[in-house]
């Protein structure tokens, strides 16, 4: 019998690549969207064999639809979680759907007899609240939420993964839980409605970021993140596992350099200057975006993919290729106009 999997959040960036790969590899895929009004548009973008893909309406904030979406599935990839471009005033706008949505998906999965539940967590749940400096993180690390200045998104991912693991320990039974922790996901973009993670390349390329602060992040390609999900769904004996999904850490300065090297004249608006740290600190008093990065100034967060490489044979493509492919798609789709 063909294996059946639920991928939550079918309208999303990572979920789209994951659904494409799963269908290509012969899975029957269920996916959720908040409203079935989006089904036709998402189907058109995914462009997979429609007979292998079914849509269900389910919101992270409500119980309706989760039982139907998981029925008959042996596997779940719970990818949906809010990832806004801005910073909400109330952290609960992100924490509540991230945490309660994961618990809804877990309860429905267990009731449906799902064997393996793979949750898309984030390095946000691993590598924050450690102060400035050069850090090396592994899957054993957790973000320290007791520290001040942790952004609502980072809180939401940490709280959601902790809540999922606590629930599994209490009530998971024989169902296997695996979490995947990607860093900032870049790579090809196929619509204007792209993930917030792509915004950083967009803002560098269109010149709206006129100078970059001294911050950075691990970069990983969306195709490699989808591939890691498939490996985590398939490989035997992964109960309780946690895998970092990241390529190397890059400062915004280095990303800007890659854009200039790879795109030539099309990178003419990419900034060449760094904002002095003192200016970011002043801006942080009134600007929530500056506030979100001020604690990051000068830090390096190396997040090792060694565990995923060793256990799952996972490989990543060069970060330069992911950055260039992001930029090329943004230009080709007319999302960035020069
Ligand atoms: P995305 O394109 O914004 O996808 C997020 C998905 O979650 C969308 O399908 C969205 O549906 C859905 N969603 C949000 N709130 C919802 C709600 N209340 N009810 C139902 N669905 C809801 O982002 P992405 O990059 O693919 O991220 C997917 C997952 O990867 C998330 O868990 C994210 O935290 C994690 N992640 C992403 C990155 C990254 O850099 N992109 C890095 C690490 C981890 P709508 O289309 O209806 O909004």
């Amino acid at each position: 019998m063909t294996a059946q999997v639920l991928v939550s959040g079918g309208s999303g960036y990572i979920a789209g690549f994951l659904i494409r790969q799963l269908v290509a590899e012969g899975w029957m895929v269920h996916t959720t969207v908040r409203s079935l009004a989006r089904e036709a548009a998402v189907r058109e973008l995914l462009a997979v064999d429609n007979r292998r893909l079914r849509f269900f309406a389910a919101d992270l904030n409500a119980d309706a639809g989760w039982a139907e979406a998981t029925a008959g599935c042996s596997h779940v990839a719970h990818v949906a979680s809010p990832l806004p471009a801005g910073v909400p005033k109330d952290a609960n706008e992100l924490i509540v759907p991230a945490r309660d949505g994961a618990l809804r998906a877990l309860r429905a999965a267990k009731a449906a007899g799902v064997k393996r539940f793979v949750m898309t967590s984030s390095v946000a749940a691993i590598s924050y609240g450690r102060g400035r400096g050069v850090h090396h993180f592994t899957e054993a690390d957790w973000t320290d939420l007791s520290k001040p200045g942790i952004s609502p998104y980072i809180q939401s991912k940490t709280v959601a993964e902790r809540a999922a693991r606590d629930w599994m320990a209490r009530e998971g039974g024989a169902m296997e839980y695996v979490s995947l922790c990607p860093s900032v996901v870049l790579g090809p973009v196929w619509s204007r409605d792209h993930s917030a993670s792509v915004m950083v390349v967009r803002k560098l390329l269109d010149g709206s970021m006129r100078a970059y602060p001294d911050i950075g992040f691990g970069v990983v390609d969306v195709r490699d993140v989808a591939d890691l999900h498939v490996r985590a769904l398939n490989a035997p004996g992964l109960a309780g596992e946690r895998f970092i999904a990241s390529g190397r850490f890059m400062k915004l300065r280095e990303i800007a350099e890659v854009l200039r090297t790879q795109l030539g004249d099309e990178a003419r608006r990419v900034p060449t200057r760094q904002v002095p740290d003192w200016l970011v600190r002043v801006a942080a008093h009134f600007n929530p975006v500056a506030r979100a990065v001020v604690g990051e100034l000068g830090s390096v967060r190396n997040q090792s993919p060694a565990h995923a490489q060793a256990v799952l044979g996972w490989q990543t493509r060069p970060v330069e290729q992911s950055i260039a492919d992001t930029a090329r798609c943004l230009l080709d789709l007319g999302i960035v106009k020069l």
Side-chain angles (χ1 to χ4, degrees):
M1 207 179 84
T2 313
Q4 197 154 290
V5 58
L6 167 66
V7 177
S8 63
S11 55
Y13 185 40
I14 295 172
F17 280 85
L18 174 57
I19 290 170
R20 277 190 168 178
Q21 186 174 341
L22 288 166
V23 170
E25 293 188 14
W27 292 70
M28 279 293 302
V29 179
H30 286 191
T31 194
T32 59
V33 280
R34 296 192 220 203
S35 158
L36 289 178
R38 287 200 74 185
E39 175 175 347
V42 176
R43 270 194 196 279
E44 197 180 326
L45 277 177
L46 292 174
V48 296
D49 179 351
N50 277 331
R51 293 163 302 180
R52 297 198 156 270
L53 180 60
R54 286 186 66 193
F55 280 74
F56 297 83
D59 193 303
L60 295 170
N61 287 313
D63 290 335
W66 290 100
E68 292 81 354
T70 41
C73 293
S74 52
H75 294 69
V76 169
H78 179 56
V79 186
S81 201
L83 176 51
V87 184
K89 283 211 174 81
D90 180 0
N92 281 323
E93 280 180 36
L94 307 186
I95 294 171
V96 172
R99 179 195 59 212
D100 295 1
L103 295 176
R104 287 190 168 93
L106 280 166
R107 283 193 293 267
K110 187 178 173 208
V114 163
K115 294 194 192 72
R116 170 76 52 85
F117 187 101
V118 176
M119 177 163 155
T120 317
S121 183
S122 169
V123 292
I126 290 183
S127 45
Y128 290 82
R130 301 280 158 206
R132 299 246 171 83
V134 177
H135 300 280
H136 295 269
F137 294 101
T138 70
E139 288 81 358
D141 294 304
W142 280 90
T143 288
D144 183 353
L145 290 182
S146 69
K147 293 290 179 342
I150 308 263
S151 79
Y153 175 71
I154 293 173
Q155 292 181 47
S156 77
K157 296 305 285 181
T158 310
V159 168
E161 191 189 337
R162 285 242 188 242
R165 287 183 175 274
D166 289 349
W167 185 90
M168 280 300 302
R170 283 194 320 271
E171 301 183 44
M175 187 164 74
E176 293 181 341
Y177 172 91
V178 181
S179 62
L180 305 181
C181 300
S183 53
V184 169
V185 179
L186 299 177
V189 173
W190 56 31
S191 88
R192 297 193 150 266
D193 184 17
H194 56 68
S195 172
S197 55
V198 169
M199 282 306 287
V200 65
V201 175
R202 182 171 167 176
K203 285 184 170 177
L204 286 168
L205 199 58
D206 70 11
S208 55
M209 191 190 294
R210 287 165 59 193
Y212 35 75
D214 182 22
I215 62 164
F217 34 74
V219 172
V220 65
D221 195 284
V222 66
R223 294 161 288 194
D224 298 328
V225 172
D227 179 62
L228 184 65
H229 279 73
V230 176
R231 287 169 191 263
L233 288 164
N234 276 324
L238 297 184
E241 277 284 10
R242 193 179 198 212
F243 294 103
I244 287 174
S246 184
R248 80 168 196 275
F249 182 93
M250 296 186 83
K251 289 281 179 91
L252 290 183
R253 174 179 44 75
E254 294 173 88
I255 296 177
E257 273 164 25
V258 170
L259 289 170
R260 275 193 290 276
T261 308
Q262 301 273 339
L263 297 181
D265 184 54
E266 287 180 303
R268 57 185 175 273
R269 293 203 175 146
V270 174
T272 51
R273 287 174 304 129
Q274 190 156 296
V275 199
D277 290 356
W278 66 264
L279 199 54
V280 180
R281 289 199 190 95
V282 171
H285 289 296
F286 49 86
N287 179 329
V289 177
R291 206 172 302 135
V293 302
V294 75
E296 295 298 302
L297 292 170
S299 285
V300 174
R301 300 170 192 284
N302 296 300
Q303 291 130 349
S304 168
H307 189 50
Q309 288 167 344
V311 175
L312 297 172
W314 186 60
Q315 296 295 326
T316 54
R317 65 203 75 207
V319 289
E320 290 79 5
Q321 187 187 337
S322 310
I323 293 164
D325 287 350
T326 314
R328 176 64 37 229
C329 287
L330 291 171
L331 290 166
D332 289 351
L333 290 169
I335 297 170
V336 170
K337 292 193 175 64
L338 296 175

